[in-house]
Amino acid sequence: MNIFFDLDGTLVDSRLRMYSLFQSLVSESKMSFDAYWRLKKENYKHRDILQKMFSYSEQESMAFEGEWLKSIELPSWLALDRPVEGVTEYLKRASEKSNLYIVTARQSEKNALSQISSFGWLELFDKIMVTNLVKQKHEMIKYVVKIEKTDWFIGDTGADIESGKKLGVKTAGVLSGFMSKEGLLTYKPDLIVNSVVDLKIT
Ligand SMILES: [Mg+2]
């Protein structure tokens, strides 16, 4: 069986990195970590937060977005990421029975690989696929792996569930990342779990 995992919010807790970069780019923000993530989980985009709470113009919001993309995968920010609790043990067990893949929409393959290696995960995966924001996840997978309908796609966003459905595999949404249960349910995944460690699919 093949299992395709999204990276951020699914295997890696990137919330501190994202919150900290937001605070660094929006110097007037006094928002707490919890307040920021409450808004994000309610599906507020940065643009909405900046314009409603900080009176940013459209142009200032776009400038923020440019700075965000330039900075979010720098090693100094990536250093704030942590593996989701218990995930390394889970992956070791799962890799004994299944072929595991990471499919991520990161922009920097080099920095993604170096982070995955620093967590000791490289040898647990058959392949790491990085879309560089130019390819779609399901298209990358299709070219590389022979899919069975009993395979799984695991992710924390609606886009991940849609990728799995486009591939015709089973889908699981995790609540360790960027979306609420109510938000994920609208994409109709086969399963919703708190974290990948709660998956009982292998
Ligand atoms: Mg994700």
Side-chain angles (χ1 to χ4, degrees):
M1 179 165 80
N2 299 306
I3 311 179
F4 304 97
F5 293 95
D6 164 56
L7 185 60
D8 291 310
T10 301
L11 300 178
V12 170
D13 184 350
S14 336
R15 290 175 304 163
L16 183 60
R17 166 166 53 108
M18 299 178 76
Y19 167 71
S20 304
L21 178 58
F22 183 88
Q23 290 296 93
S24 141
L25 293 177
V26 185
S27 50
E28 63 269 46
S29 170
K30 303 261 188 296
M31 230 189 309
S32 68
F33 175 88
D34 288 340
Y36 173 81
W37 277 106
R38 216 164 20 245
L39 289 171
K40 294 289 285 173
K41 284 219 166 198
E42 284 169 20
N43 209 19
Y44 280 83
K45 308 287 175 239
H46 280 143
R47 191 172 160 278
D48 307 326
I49 299 172
L50 292 169
Q51 297 188 3
K52 286 196 183 109
M53 296 177 60
F54 301 99
S55 309
Y56 271 42
S57 66
E58 185 61 38
Q59 212 167 19
E60 287 167 326
S61 311
M62 280 166 67
F64 169 93
E65 200 53 45
E67 283 303 315
W68 176 274
L69 283 175
K70 234 173 16 189
S71 309
I72 189 65
E73 293 180 30
L74 293 176
S76 51
W77 291 110
L78 286 170
L80 296 176
D81 285 355
R82 294 288 174 267
V84 164
E85 209 183 328
V87 84
T88 302
E89 291 68 30
Y90 169 82
L91 291 171
K92 281 182 183 162
R93 279 199 311 275
S95 68
E96 288 166 11
K97 296 185 194 161
S98 304
N99 303 317
L100 310 186
Y101 303 85
I102 289 176
V103 196
T104 172
R106 291 261 185 101
Q107 313 162 66
S108 165
E109 180 164 11
K110 179 172 158 275
N111 292 355
L113 287 174
S114 128
Q115 185 185 45
I116 291 162
S117 162
S118 77
F119 293 148
W121 295 349
L122 266 190
E123 66 277 16
L124 302 176
F125 290 92
D126 283 53
K127 194 165 175 64
I128 317 273
M129 293 174 246
V130 180
T131 70
N132 292 309
L133 298 180
V134 291
K135 290 172 224 145
Q136 298 220 5
K137 287 183 177 179
H138 69 278
E139 281 173 351
M140 267 197 106
I141 293 172
K142 249 183 1 200
Y143 288 117
V144 177
V145 187
K146 190 176 176 297
I147 299 292
E148 307 275 355
K149 59 179 188 296
T150 48
D151 294 341
W152 282 86
F153 196 112
I154 322 292
D156 68 312
T157 64
D160 291 323
I161 305 305
E162 284 177 340
S163 300
K165 288 184 183 288
K166 281 178 189 157
L167 287 168
V169 301
K170 292 184 176 294
T171 55
V174 292
L175 300 175
S176 51
F178 309 157
M179 277 184 78
S180 66
K181 188 171 188 176
E182 295 65 37
L184 270 177
L185 272 172
T186 61
Y187 293 89
K188 300 188 168 52
D190 294 291
L191 268 183
I192 293 188
V193 288
N194 282 325
S195 145
V196 286
V197 303
D198 301 313
L199 286 168
K200 307 261 189 295
I201 59 175
T202 57

